[in-house]
Amino acid sequence: MADDLKPRDSSEPFKPQEPAGHSRRDFLGFAVTAASGAILWPYLGSAQQRAGACVARFGQPLQNMGQIKSVGGVLKGLIEARAEARAITYYNAPIYSCMQPTVRAYHGYDGWTLDPAKQVTISGIASPGPLLRAAVGDTVDLIFLNRIDPSLFPTSSVTSSRGKCDTSLNLDGTERYPGKDTFPNCFHASNTTNLHFHGTHISPGSFEDNVLVGVINNPRMDSAAAIQEAIDAYAEWKAGGNPSKKLIESAGAGLQVMLDRAQTDGNNELVEQITQAIHNNHQLLEAGEWPQYWPGLYPQHFQIPVWTKGGKFAMGQSPGTHWYHCHQHGSTTMQILNGMAGVFVITGDYDDKLLRLGGGTPQNPKIKEQVLMFQLFAEQPNLVNGSPSVGTMACNGQVLPTATMKKGEVQWWRIANAAMRSHGSDWFLFVPQAAYDAFIANPTTMKNGQPPSYPAGTVPTINQTAQDGVQFAWENYTRRSNLARFRLAPGNRGDFLVKATAEAGTHYLVFWPPAGVAAIRDIRANTVFKLVVDGDATGVNTAFPTELQYPKQPEFLADVTDQEIRGRHRTVTFSMDGGPGGPPNQPVFKIDDEQFAEGTIDQVMLLGNAEEWTLANTSLAGVMHPFHIHVNPFQITEVYDPATMTGPAKVPQPWPWGDTIAIPAGVQTTDADGNPAVGPDGKAIVTAGHIKIRTRFVDFAGKFVLHCHILGHEDRGMMQLIEVVDNKTVVKHH
């Protein structure tokens, strides 16, 4: 077995290696096939034969992600965006196949270096970016470099300034994309990118969680000089200074160098784009705003806020499972599908107490932690391809990996869902081997929207401890215990204490779409990983926490009260005109009946205020739009799914927190004769699904976004620019 596929402690540094016994060329020249039409998977997943451009890689032991870990209170690392050929394994019934497109990828380095010996990520194989691990109160100093080679992606613009969508053609030469999509709400500028720290309670400006910047790909930059510039800035920040002005001036000089090179090369299109980028930056700086475009380098710098009673922050950072990903409007979908995302674990009292379950004695051993990231990998979105290319869910970059537990063992699983399922939400559940085999033998027994259930004890038991990196209060933990299944939407994270069955056996974690979307036709296409339970429980934790052991929820996560809300309420409505599907049913995605518009702020809130929002969804065909808002988490207080409920359901207190929530789809109403009801405008009359939330807009003023976390919807218009305005002023009126 190749060294880079062996299970290892996530605290150990990771060094990518060639697969054992083969050169890289040989490795990429393997493919898995079926003999005489027989289905080899999942029983003969290791069988490989020479036959194609790359190797179908599946059925191997689950591996941990390489990580960059905070040391001495500072997370020092480097994330590089670059292009490379990557092997992508996918299920192609009845076998697993492999393709090897050139895609954009994240690579992580432990420390401020591009030294290959410090690379913690895998090259040549579709996989996530590095696992980041820091504690509440730590400083994050993370150099971000964009070295994507634009010559490998000639159909995409460098910046979004030229006002054009990317295009693709059908086989007959007619235009496939953009179809009905119009700029800026279309796929474009796929080589420009940035980093969003999803789930962090930090500033949306400067060098923190600023998604309004675009780091232009600059493969010809002097990387050593750029890294040193960032290191010098970190030293100045540490000394109490502010290098922002110096960095902005350097970025301006870097753009001018890019412009001069483009003129020398005779690249008129790049000259036009960089000229416009420089002009945009000048306009922003003159208006007192942050410059948008940065040439290849962006030094991320922030401290993870600590809450103390009566202290600086009204809310602290919730320790838990978070993640980071690209967030350049127009290119987010493309880059996420290419794999540009990773897990960000932020530790605190919550994590420390769960990890100490059992205390670590031989009689009462510590709990084992597993960090899992679910992703879909593809070269292009389906709408650009013209045919489906996405659907096989990978876990930590692996397809159908095998996880192991001992009989009765309890493990802590941190799961981040970066998979963009177009309908917005899936059920996840364990299916035992016998039932799994029965589904393979008779797929017609799988009913759409109705996940199967199994007697207690025949599948692992699931207790949920946190949603979206925000821990549950004890009451919500008990409500979410002894689960048969759990639900995740794109962008959701869940922390789970999973207890293995008392008997040895094999189980499969599968995802199950809700009612109203495409039916399951092959259980193997919906499988995430295999879990093998075997071995005596000696030396492992077997107990769930008691109330005394369970971490107490911090005071800043107390329920948002009516007194705080003071009647402040607004409704935000997600809708689709047309669709779902491609041309001629290509939908138009809107919020409050408008698509995202540059230069327009759609929602304004005062710093320090709390508000209640109703999130409505009028989309049909079972499409649940996962609402996500940056900076501040929110509480879920009410749910209404018109397809399954007669009226809204109040969520019991204490209300759970999150930062992403799938809004139930709407249902078309009918008239007295049972026919679809339409309004005077000829449009269907829809009973909207909705979610009610409460949130505190505290600690950080500035501009950021809310959007649908089906990122193909966000890139194509389902996003709003919002602003939290400081309610303090030096202006006086005597």
Side-chain angles (χ1 to χ4, degrees):
M1 182 175 64
D3 288 344
D4 68 341
L5 304 181
K6 291 179 180 177
R8 56 192 168 78
D9 187 329
S10 62
S11 64
E12 295 176 354
F14 174 68
K15 296 182 180 179
Q17 302 180 22
E18 299 292 334
H22 303 287
S23 69
R24 174 62 64 182
R25 178 174 293 181
D26 288 339
F27 176 64
L28 296 177
F30 275 62
V32 68
T33 61
S36 304
I39 299 174
L40 301 181
W41 178 91
Y43 310 103
L44 300 176
S46 61
Q48 296 174 353
Q49 300 176 11
R50 288 182 180 273
C54 61
V55 63
R57 178 175 174 264
F58 63 97
Q60 295 158 328
L62 177 67
Q63 68 171 359
N64 297 311
M65 293 171 278
Q67 79 169 344
I68 303 171
K69 187 176 182 179
S70 175
V71 177
V74 181
L75 191 155
K76 295 182 179 180
L78 185 150
I79 292 181
E80 172 197 25
R82 71 175 189 237
E84 66 177 23
R86 285 192 148 190
I88 299 175
T89 298
Y90 61 99
Y91 182 63
N92 185 20
I95 63 170
Y96 272 85
S97 299
C98 183
M99 57 182 172
Q100 192 188 7
T102 298
V103 296
R104 305 159 185 87
Y106 280 163
H107 280 292
Y109 298 81
D110 190 7
W112 298 323
T113 178
L114 283 172
D115 181 354
K118 295 290 187 179
Q119 182 177 319
V120 302
T121 43
I122 304 172
S123 297
I125 299 172
S127 50
L131 166 63
L132 306 179
R133 192 184 292 267
V136 171
D138 284 355
T139 297
V140 175
D141 286 340
L142 193 66
I143 298 173
F144 180 60
L145 296 179
N146 184 356
R147 302 204 304 166
I148 296 171
D149 184 350
S151 68
L152 299 174
F153 308 101
T155 62
S156 185
S157 57
V158 173
T159 73
S160 60
S161 59
R162 68 174 181 169
K164 297 179 182 178
C165 303
D166 288 350
T167 59
S168 67
L169 303 178
N170 294 309
L171 292 177
D172 62 3
T174 58
E175 183 181 277
R176 167 73 196 180
Y177 185 79
K180 294 181 180 179
D181 287 355
T182 57
F183 187 86
N185 298 306
C186 60
F187 301 133
H188 67 275
S190 299
N191 297 323
T192 297
T193 187
N194 55 33
L195 283 179
H196 165 47
F197 298 95
H198 184 133
T200 52
H201 181 63
I202 58 177
S203 168
S206 65
F207 296 101
E208 300 193 28
D209 188 29
N210 191 343
V211 300
L212 302 182
V213 300
V215 185
I216 297 174
N217 51 313
N218 189 8
R220 295 166 65 180
M221 72 176 134
D222 184 335
S223 298
I227 291 170
Q228 188 58 54
E229 182 179 4
I231 292 172
D232 292 344
Y234 293 139
E236 189 170 344
W237 270 310
K238 185 177 181 180
N242 184 358
S244 296
K245 185 173 184 292
K246 193 182 305 180
L247 289 167
I248 290 171
E249 290 173 350
S250 178
L255 287 173
Q256 187 61 51
V257 169
M258 290 188 71
L259 178 61
D260 293 344
R261 284 176 176 167
Q263 290 171 332
T264 300
D265 295 342
N267 189 336
N268 294 331
E269 186 173 12
L270 185 58
V271 167
E272 176 191 342
Q273 293 176 59
I274 299 301
T275 300
Q276 187 62 49
I278 292 172
H279 175 69
N280 287 357
N281 282 2
H282 284 163
Q283 280 189 316
L284 288 162
L285 288 168
E286 287 175 1
E289 300 283 357
W290 197 256
Q292 180 179 6
Y293 290 111
W294 295 71
L297 166 72
Y298 205 74
Q300 310 286 166
H301 169 74
F302 56 90
Q303 185 174 26
I304 303 172
V306 179
W307 179 86
T308 55
K309 196 165 187 175
K312 176 181 178 181
F313 297 105
M315 294 188 72
Q317 173 64 53
S318 294
T321 307
H322 305 285
W323 65 304
Y324 63 93
H325 59 85
C326 51
H327 211 300
Q328 171 73 33
H329 184 60
S331 68
T332 308
T333 305
M334 191 86 67
Q335 293 173 5
I336 282 278
L337 288 176
N338 284 188
M340 293 172 64
V343 178
F344 188 7
V345 171
I346 301 177
T347 60
D349 181 68
Y350 158 71
D351 310 76
D352 294 342
K353 285 187 176 177
L354 284 185
L355 287 173
R356 286 200 304 268
L357 283 179
T361 66
Q363 297 77 21
N364 210 6
K366 288 180 67 175
I367 197 167
K368 180 180 180 180
E369 176 197 56
Q370 297 271 24
V371 183
L372 310 173
M373 187 168 212
F374 298 167
Q375 290 173 286
L376 298 171
F377 293 104
E379 182 180 15
Q380 300 273 7
N382 293 345
L383 189 60
V384 176
N385 283 341
S387 61
S389 62
V390 180
T392 303
M393 196 173 291
C395 179
N396 293 2
Q398 297 175 268
V399 170
L400 192 72
T402 299
T404 58
M405 297 179 75
K406 293 186 177 181
K407 291 183 288 188
E409 179 181 5
V410 173
Q411 293 184 359
W412 179 14
W413 292 3
R414 300 176 180 268
I415 299 177
N417 185 18
M420 288 193 302
R421 301 280 289 159
S422 61
H423 49 269
S425 183
D426 281 308
W427 289 106
F428 291 82
L429 66 151
F430 286 106
V431 175
Q433 183 74 67
Y436 194 84
D437 292 339
F439 282 137
I440 293 174
N442 187 4
T444 61
T445 60
M446 295 181 291
K447 295 182 179 180
N448 180 34
Q450 299 179 33
S453 58
Y454 303 101
T458 61
V459 290
T461 301
I462 305 167
N463 288 12
Q464 187 171 1
T465 63
Q467 180 77 10
D468 292 344
V470 188
Q471 72 172 87
F472 284 161
W474 173 257
E475 295 89 338
N476 286 324
Y477 168 74
T478 57
R479 292 174 187 135
R480 298 288 295 165
S481 294
N482 301 312
L483 301 178
R485 63 184 69 96
F486 58 90
R487 200 167 194 172
L488 292 176
N492 276 151
R493 288 89 64 217
D495 286 11
F496 305 94
L497 296 178
V498 180
K499 186 176 180 66
T501 52
E503 301 297 328
T506 299
H507 312 268
Y508 296 86
L509 185 72
V510 302
F511 59 94
W512 210 277
V517 299
I520 300 176
R521 293 183 173 86
D522 188 332
I523 193 69
R524 292 164 292 191
N526 287 53
T527 304
V528 184
F529 61 80
K530 179 168 69 174
L531 174 66
V532 176
V533 177
D534 196 19
D536 186 75
T538 302
V540 298
N541 183 76
T542 59
F544 289 123
T546 64
E547 186 172 1
L548 288 176
Q549 291 174 314
Y550 190 80
K552 185 178 179 182
Q553 199 171 42
E555 290 183 40
F556 67 79
L557 294 176
D559 283 353
V560 181
T561 65
D562 292 341
Q563 289 75 18
E564 291 178 87
I565 296 293
R566 296 175 61 184
R568 288 183 287 262
H569 182 273
R570 66 185 78 197
T571 298
V572 180
T573 302
F574 290 66
S575 62
M576 288 167 49
D577 289 351
N585 298 315
Q586 188 173 329
V588 177
F589 301 98
K590 299 179 178 180
I591 300 179
D592 294 339
D593 208 32
E594 297 286 345
Q595 289 193 284
F596 172 71
E598 295 283 11
T600 301
I601 296 172
D602 299 286
Q603 311 280 353
V604 179
M605 295 75 67
L606 283 180
L607 184 65
N609 280 0
E611 296 193 8
E612 180 181 69
W613 290 17
T614 296
L615 309 172
N617 179 11
T618 62
S619 304
L620 302 174
V623 177
M624 303 174 70
H625 295 293
F627 165 86
H628 172 55
I629 190 169
H630 295 197
V631 182
N632 300 288
F634 52 78
Q635 289 190 288
I636 300 100
T637 65
E638 182 177 289
V639 178
Y640 177 49
D641 182 351
T644 61
M645 302 166 65
T646 58
K650 300 292 185 182
V651 177
Q653 293 180 265
W655 296 309
W657 291 83
D659 59 45
T660 305
I661 185 70
I663 313 168
V667 172
Q668 186 167 1
T669 60
T670 56
D671 59 23
D673 298 323
N675 299 314
V678 296
D681 58 358
K683 293 184 177 181
I685 298 175
V686 176
T687 300
H690 77 245
I691 300 284
K692 276 191 179 180
I693 64 170
R694 292 186 173 195
T695 190
R696 300 181 177 106
F697 295 99
V698 294
D699 298 324
F700 304 108
K703 299 177 182 68
F704 49 103
V705 292
L706 63 84
H707 58 89
C708 173
H709 223 289
I710 301 172
L711 297 174
H713 297 181
E714 178 231 298
D715 276 338
R716 296 162 61 206
M718 198 168 266
M719 181 169 76
Q720 288 188 338
L721 180 64
I722 63 178
E723 183 172 11
V724 174
V725 179
D726 195 337
N727 63 350
K728 301 294 191 300
T729 178
V730 295
V731 175
K732 296 180 180 179
H733 183 194
H734 295 288

